[in-house]
Amino acid sequence: MNDALAALQARLGHVFHDPALLELALTHPSVLNERSGAQDSNQRLEFLGDAVLQLVLSEEIFRRYPQEREGVLTQRRKLLIEGKFAAKLATELRLDECLRVNAAGALAGLKLNRSALEDAFEALVAALYLDAGYAVTQRIVLQIYGDLDQRLAAMLPADNPKGQLQELVQPAHGNNALRYEVTRTTGEDHQRIYDVTVWLHDRALGSGHGTSKKLAEEAAARAALEVLKAEAGKTD
């Protein structure tokens, strides 16, 4: 057990009962091509880890967002599990410092490859599950992810201001705190302009207008986001 793996266990808050599991989780398939004595890589663990990760996040998202429909829950889970985000978590954990690759892979920067990091993260989850069981794995995975609301808000598309606003207010105010109200409609039937105000409970957060209700609501949400970000800046 080298220093990098010992440091990783300290970051995880878990010392492996079977250190070989941890080492296997961080063994890239390229090692098999170089070392005649190497019998396995992290590919099988990756398969199991993907399933464990989906269960942990499905359960947490289901609990955290009791009012949301299946489609919204599925989309949130997808964002949290997709490869580029798993690779980001692997980087935060500094798995690249522990990943074993062959000499050619090391020279080619394989330790920083997104796919290799994603696989290593999933394999690590499986290793935790096999070493310590579901409850410990669940705790560590959720600790790694941290605040899911903040994670999700950061991943929402820039052109989804309503979604960003919802994610921002949800932790403190719940899922049903926002409402959008059409305050005025002007123009001819074929050239309507809608004015919309978004309310947080009984507080008007922002207003906007557009040639459709959807565009007006998005404009109102953008205005509300600016207000909340400005307020947050004053408290920092």
Side-chain angles (χ1 to χ4, degrees):
M1 183 67 64
N2 61 35
D3 291 343
L5 292 180
L8 173 61
Q9 290 179 100
R11 290 192 292 276
L12 294 172
H14 174 73
V15 176
F16 274 73
H17 303 289
D18 183 0
L21 275 172
L22 177 59
E23 293 176 359
L24 183 60
L26 296 165
T27 299
H28 187 268
S30 65
V31 173
L32 301 183
N33 300 327
E34 185 177 73
R35 302 179 186 176
S36 58
Q39 300 296 317
D40 206 353
S41 70
N42 61 10
Q43 286 182 308
R44 281 173 51 82
L45 285 177
E46 173 201 343
F47 165 78
L48 176 60
D50 177 66
V52 174
L53 194 57
Q54 293 222 28
L55 177 57
V56 170
L57 291 173
S58 295
E59 183 179 351
E60 180 65 14
I61 291 169
F62 181 83
R63 181 196 65 77
R64 183 178 287 259
Y65 306 108
Q67 306 301 322
E68 297 290 8
R69 295 179 179 272
E70 178 188 4
V72 174
L73 299 178
T74 299
Q75 178 62 24
R76 290 180 178 180
R77 183 182 63 193
K78 178 182 176 182
L79 288 171
L80 292 168
I81 290 178
E82 66 180 357
K84 63 181 180 181
F85 189 68
K88 172 181 169 60
L89 295 175
T91 301
E92 291 177 2
L93 280 173
R94 290 155 42 196
L95 294 190
D96 56 297
E97 298 177 5
C98 311
L99 188 60
R100 294 196 300 165
V101 302
N102 66 8
L107 288 173
L110 186 56
K111 288 187 176 186
L112 299 177
N113 177 270
R114 194 184 88 179
S115 178
L117 288 171
E118 173 195 355
D119 294 348
F121 179 71
E122 292 175 348
L124 175 63
V125 171
L128 284 166
Y129 173 72
L130 292 174
D131 191 70
Y134 179 75
V136 171
T137 304
Q138 180 188 44
R139 173 181 61 78
I140 294 175
V141 166
L142 294 178
Q143 169 188 300
I144 292 169
Y145 272 85
D147 190 325
L148 291 188
D149 296 312
Q150 290 186 10
R151 294 284 197 184
L152 287 165
M155 288 186 286
L156 284 169
D159 61 350
N160 184 14
K162 291 180 65 177
Q164 286 184 300
L165 181 61
Q166 176 67 27
E167 295 292 345
L168 189 60
V169 305
Q170 190 275 337
H173 300 281
N175 292 314
N176 301 309
L178 295 173
R179 63 182 174 88
Y180 293 83
E181 178 186 355
V182 177
T183 57
R184 188 174 64 162
T185 305
T186 57
E188 302 294 331
D189 289 343
H190 63 288
Q191 289 183 321
R192 289 288 190 195
I193 299 295
Y194 297 88
D195 290 342
V196 167
T197 297
V198 58
W199 295 78
L200 176 61
H201 298 304
D202 59 352
R203 177 191 176 190
L205 273 186
S207 298
H209 61 271
T211 55
S212 69
K213 290 181 182 179
K214 179 178 181 295
L215 291 174
E217 289 177 354
E218 289 177 348
R222 288 190 187 93
L225 283 168
E226 291 302 317
V227 169
L228 293 179
K229 289 177 181 177
E231 292 178 350
K234 291 178 181 178
T235 60
D236 288 345

